[in-house]
Each structure stands twice: as C-alpha cells, then as structure tokens.
Amino acid sequence: MMKELIAGAVAATAMGTMASVNVIPLPNKVVEREGSLVAQDQKALGALTVFETDAAIPAEGYRLTVSDDGVKIVSSDAAGRFYAGQTVRQLTARSGRGLVLPYVEIEDAPRFKWRGLHFDDCRHFFGKDVLMKTLDAMAYHKLNVLHWHLTEDQGWRLEIKKYPELTRKGAVRPGSPKPKCLIQPGDDGEGTSWVNNHIPYGPYYYTQDDVREIVAYAAARHITVIPEIELPGHALAAIAAYPELGCTGEQFAPWSRWGVSEHIFCGGNDQVIKFLEDVLDEVCDLFPSPIVHIGGDEAPKKMWKHCAKCQQRIKDLGLDGEEGLQGWMTRHFTEYLARKGRRAVGWDEVLDGNPGTETIIMSWRGPGGGIKAAA
C-alpha cells in the first residue's frame, strides 16, 4: 500500500501537482504560479469569484484558477462548483493581510462515484449536532455518501410512527459494556474482557423531523444519506419492542454488550414481513436516496433451525435450508424496494442465499465477496 501511495504521489507530481498546495484529496492536476491573491475578508473574497459552465467537464469535476483576475471556477454541474468551493476553503490561509490564496490552476474530478462514510449510531448514539459536523467534514473532503446505520441489537434509533415501541423500548438499553480493566468490586462479569456497567443508556433516537432536517442538510452539501435497516439479524432491539417478531416470543431488552445476538427476526412469520414492509415504507418517505441498505450480515440461524414457522416456510417454498430462507427474505425486500423505485444493498453474507442480481453487495469481510458479486 505504501508503494502505491508513493507511486501515486510521484505520478501526481509528474503531472504538475505541487506538494506545497495542501488539498485533500489530492487533485488530478495542480500547477502553482508565483504570487498570491489577498482579500480583506470572506465577503471580499466572494466578490472576486467568477463562475462559468462547461459541459465538457466531468460530473462533480471543476477547473479552478486563482490569478490577478480573481478566482475563476468552471464546472458542468452544481456539485463540481461546490467542490471547487471546498478546494478554495482549503487553499485559503489567514495572515495579517487578510485571506490569502496562492496563484494556482487546478483541474479535478472524482475517480469514484461512491465516496462514503459509515456512521453507526446504534452502539454509540452521537446525535444531530455531531452528525451535522460530520457532514460538514465530509463535504470539506468531497465525500458524497453517508451510510447511516440506524438499527441494531443494542438500539433502534429511528422513529417509526406505526410502531412507537421501537423507540420507547428499543432505543434504551439497561447498560453498556465496560472494559474489564475498570471492574469495581461487586460488578457482574458477563464476558472475558468486559462487564455490564448497569447504567441505563437512552432513550436515544432521531425523530422523523430530525431525519428530514439532516437529509436536507446533507443534500445542500451534495451528500446522499443511505439508511440501513438491518434484517434478518442484529434485530434484538426491535424484538425487545415487539417480542412477537422473534422466533420464541420471549421478552428481551436491547443488548447491553457488543457482539451478535442469536435472536433474529423470524423468517417464517408473515407478521415480521409486514412489519419490515411498514418500516421500509416510512424509511422511503423520509430518505430520497435511490438506495436503501437492508443489512444481512451476522445472522445466526440457531433459532431458525428450531422454529416451526421457519422450517415450514423452508419446506413450503422448497428453499435450501436456513441460508435459503435468508436469501428468500433478501429477494423479497429487494423486490419490495424495487417497486418503490429503490435499490437494495446488503452485506456480503447475503451472497450465501442467492439474493438476486439487483442487490448491490457491500463486502466487509474482504475482497472475496466483491469478486463473487461482480461475477
């Protein structure tokens, strides 16, 4: 990897990129000139900026020139113009003279269409202010996809109007893991390296108004927000709110530890299918993203092996065991989302159950899943 980074830096320098121009990510082409442009303040700098359109520039790309004539930005779309503005922000330095920009010519366009960040709000809840600051940082570095993880064993973080118990019961857990090095006398050991601190955590969740505000804030920064609703695994918080969604009907609390719960959505229960369809209906109303993440990772099949409903579904549909049942669920919700004009993405484990070619695969366990999906 280091050799690749060095080679990339050498190649960029050969194209005219100057190391003294500190822009992240490194633009495709940078030519630095002698001199600098000085503006008294941000308002004065804005008055020097000229925008032009050139349809030949790639999507999200731009051409930026800083010279005696001011700041000239040429792009083919609003995103390119926005990213040029972020580059200007990175180039601008403050001095006793005011705001200073080096004379420079920059041409840039993204190599990757999806430039993402995965934000997990379930195990640790960050809240709206931190999320918006994260979106600002993403925009500054020209990232354009926020993958927002909203449901887990440890907490359900999204208000669903039709199922209020999801946030009343599913958004609060009775404790959190504490490293074993911090164990105090009287603590209950529940693992080899951690204990439950028995401090209630929550209720923490985003209201639907919060979500609309966040999605709009992201869109203004050319960031698409992709929600993740986990199925069939990582579902204990939902089952804690509605026990009938699990295979056993037992009452649980959201998990107070990390790891993977054996209690997943019952694949043989039509009520589960309807519940998840209802949830996805509200999700699609809140998120204009053309893509919805449906999870699919780390779904232990122990409960399904002993569940009469799951085994009956496998028999009735002629499925290839429990993995086939997960594949059936993945295809069902991929098709359900497709009818709503959305495309599903799932973790690479869904490949084990023949998810269908329309499902986008996100491979977290290594390159093998991506290679298999591409084939």
Side-chain angles (χ1 to χ4, degrees):
M1 177 61 77
M2 183 56 69
K3 290 181 180 177
E4 292 174 3
L5 291 175
I6 292 172
V10 171
T13 301
M15 291 191 299
T17 298
M18 305 295 288
S20 59
V21 174
N22 192 8
V23 176
I24 301 174
L26 185 70
N28 293 335
K29 181 180 179 181
V30 179
V31 178
E32 193 171 14
R33 307 296 187 190
E34 290 293 330
S36 58
L37 183 69
V38 180
Q40 183 176 356
D41 53 28
Q42 195 66 44
K43 184 177 180 180
L45 178 60
L48 297 172
T49 304
V50 175
F51 299 99
E52 294 183 1
T53 301
D54 183 349
I57 293 178
E60 299 184 279
Y62 63 88
R63 186 166 62 245
L64 168 67
T65 305
V66 182
S67 67
D68 283 337
D69 296 328
V71 179
K72 183 178 179 181
I73 292 171
V74 185
S75 65
S76 63
D77 58 18
R81 177 172 168 173
F82 177 81
Y83 292 135
Q86 300 307 306
T87 296
V88 170
R89 287 181 62 198
Q90 292 191 28
L91 289 172
T92 303
R94 294 185 180 274
S95 73
R97 297 183 295 162
L99 301 179
V100 181
L101 278 80
Y103 285 169
V104 69
E105 296 175 15
I106 293 178
E107 293 182 15
D108 198 20
R111 180 181 176 190
F112 300 107
K113 185 175 181 180
W114 181 313
R115 306 181 300 282
L117 182 143
H118 184 191
F119 196 90
D120 183 347
D121 245 318
C122 301
R123 298 170 178 91
H124 306 281
F125 182 81
F126 293 97
K128 185 166 63 174
D129 290 345
V130 171
L131 184 49
M132 287 183 166
K133 289 177 181 177
T134 301
L135 290 167
D136 287 337
M138 289 177 64
Y140 188 71
H141 294 94
K142 304 181 180 73
L143 301 180
N144 66 348
V145 177
L146 179 76
H147 169 188
W148 196 5
H149 193 73
L150 288 162
T151 70
E152 255 303 338
D153 292 321
Q154 293 82 9
W156 183 285
R157 306 298 179 205
L158 175 64
E159 178 188 26
I160 300 296
K161 298 288 189 182
K162 192 166 185 178
Y163 298 99
E165 297 297 280
L166 287 173
T167 46
R168 193 175 78 84
K169 292 181 179 178
V172 57
R173 62 176 179 254
S176 299
K178 179 169 66 174
K180 202 165 188 177
C181 62
L182 301 178
I183 292 176
Q184 300 295 321
D187 280 334
D188 297 329
E190 296 187 37
T192 58
S193 61
W194 61 272
V195 294
N196 185 347
N197 65 10
H198 297 296
I199 299 173
Y201 189 85
Y204 296 132
Y205 64 94
Y206 294 90
T207 68
Q208 294 199 356
D209 285 342
D210 289 336
V211 171
R212 292 186 184 95
E213 183 180 355
I214 289 164
V215 167
Y217 192 87
R221 287 151 182 79
H222 297 275
I223 296 171
T224 298
V225 182
I226 294 178
E228 181 178 2
I229 305 299
E230 281 269 19
L231 65 95
H234 290 290
L236 189 62
I239 295 170
Y242 296 96
E244 62 272 21
L245 300 177
C247 288
T248 68
E250 294 176 76
Q251 180 68 62
F252 299 99
W255 234 13
S256 295
R257 56 172 295 180
W258 308 144
V260 180
S261 172
E262 295 177 340
H263 293 276
I264 67 177
F265 287 124
C266 179
N269 187 346
D270 289 340
Q271 187 175 354
V272 167
I273 305 304
K274 181 63 166 63
F275 164 82
L276 289 169
E277 289 176 350
D278 291 341
V279 167
L280 290 175
D281 286 347
E282 294 195 28
V283 165
C284 288
D285 286 342
L286 289 169
F287 295 90
S289 164
I291 294 172
V292 176
H293 205 303
I294 57 173
D297 65 314
E298 299 179 321
K301 307 302 190 300
K302 179 180 177 180
M303 296 299 163
W304 285 7
K305 289 180 183 295
H306 301 285
C307 173
K309 290 182 179 179
C310 290
Q311 292 304 310
Q312 189 63 48
R313 175 94 74 192
I314 291 170
K315 180 180 178 181
D316 290 346
L317 298 180
L319 302 174
D320 184 15
E322 289 75 30
E323 293 300 336
L325 179 55
Q326 179 170 348
W328 172 82
M329 289 185 74
T330 301
R331 291 190 298 275
H332 175 88
F333 290 108
T334 295
E335 293 166 2
Y336 187 80
L337 287 168
R339 292 195 294 272
K340 300 175 75 66
R342 311 302 176 93
R343 194 171 179 191
V345 56
W347 297 112
D348 53 290
E349 284 96 326
V350 303
L351 289 167
D352 297 335
N354 186 24
T357 58
E358 289 304 309
T359 307
I360 300 170
I361 303 303
M362 185 176 283
S363 186
W364 73 276
R365 296 181 298 173
I371 294 169
K372 184 177 179 181

